[in-house]
Amino acid sequence: MSDPKHTSMAWEALFRAQVEIMRRLEADDLMPDLTLKEYDVLYTLRLAGGDGLRLKELNKGVLMHQSALSRLVERLELRGLVARRTAPDDRRGTLITLTAEGIRLQREMGRRHVAQIDHYVGSALSPRELEQLRVLTEKLKNAQEAIPRFNTREAR
């Protein structure tokens, strides 16, 4: 079993590093046509491929509450960046897909965003450290499904 103090210190370091980097990414205003949240939705849809995602599936890949995500998708749809279509396997279901303009904008902003991330993260860590960070954060993310929910009653 781990030491809760060390776990807490590691979590705080990871969280605060992420917050600091996100503040810098937002302050750069690198994407005047998109917010970081809008870009996150376009990027997540791009990773999903041409079939698109249901709102519930999209929600698993982005850092937003579903109600806020639903409104954001509506705004992206009005801008012509995403489209909704009926799911072929379930006529009641709706899939969200990127439009040609959404793909174009995501690619354009993606190139800038990768350079920006490399500037803030890649310049702070060696290639070996970057690989370690990737492995550890993927391990942490992938382990969550198997870890039971925290019992808040026991913690009191």
Side-chain angles (χ1 to χ4, degrees):
M1 189 71 179
S2 64
D3 176 349
K5 182 178 178 183
H6 286 110
T7 303
S8 177
M9 290 171 58
W11 167 253
E12 286 297 323
L14 175 63
F15 179 72
R16 295 196 186 284
Q18 188 263 350
V19 167
E20 183 61 29
I21 292 166
M22 289 301 292
R23 284 182 179 151
R24 298 199 73 189
L25 295 174
E26 289 174 356
D28 285 348
D29 197 26
L30 186 69
M31 298 185 240
D33 298 330
L34 292 172
T35 66
L36 281 175
K37 289 180 181 182
E38 291 170 335
Y39 176 78
D40 190 22
V41 168
L42 297 184
Y43 178 75
T44 302
L45 288 170
R46 183 75 191 275
L47 289 178
D51 292 338
L53 294 172
R54 295 173 189 270
L55 192 61
K56 184 177 180 179
E57 296 166 331
L58 179 58
N59 191 241
K60 288 180 182 179
V62 297
L63 302 172
M64 298 179 71
H65 291 287
Q66 190 158 339
S67 59
L69 176 61
S70 184
R71 290 189 302 274
L72 189 145
V73 166
E74 287 175 16
R75 290 192 304 272
L76 292 173
E77 187 176 24
L78 287 172
R79 292 174 56 193
L81 301 175
V82 302
R84 296 173 197 254
R85 65 181 179 87
T86 302
D89 60 334
D90 174 9
R91 305 303 262 161
R92 295 175 299 165
T94 302
L95 294 173
I96 301 159
T97 59
L98 288 173
T99 63
E101 178 60 13
I103 292 169
R104 184 201 66 74
L105 188 58
Q106 188 281 318
R107 282 183 181 156
E108 179 186 329
M109 296 296 116
R111 283 190 290 274
R112 295 180 198 170
H113 192 48
V114 167
Q116 186 186 32
I117 291 168
D118 185 53
H119 177 75
Y120 291 123
V121 180
S123 63
L125 301 173
S126 71
R128 183 169 178 256
E129 290 169 327
L130 288 168
E131 179 60 15
Q132 289 173 326
L133 178 63
R134 184 192 64 76
V135 167
L136 291 172
T137 53
E138 282 182 5
K139 181 178 181 179
L140 183 60
K141 176 186 172 273
N142 293 336
Q144 296 311 301
E145 201 169 295
I147 298 172
R149 287 193 53 91
F150 184 71
N151 187 336
T152 55
R153 290 182 183 177
E154 288 180 13
R156 292 181 185 162

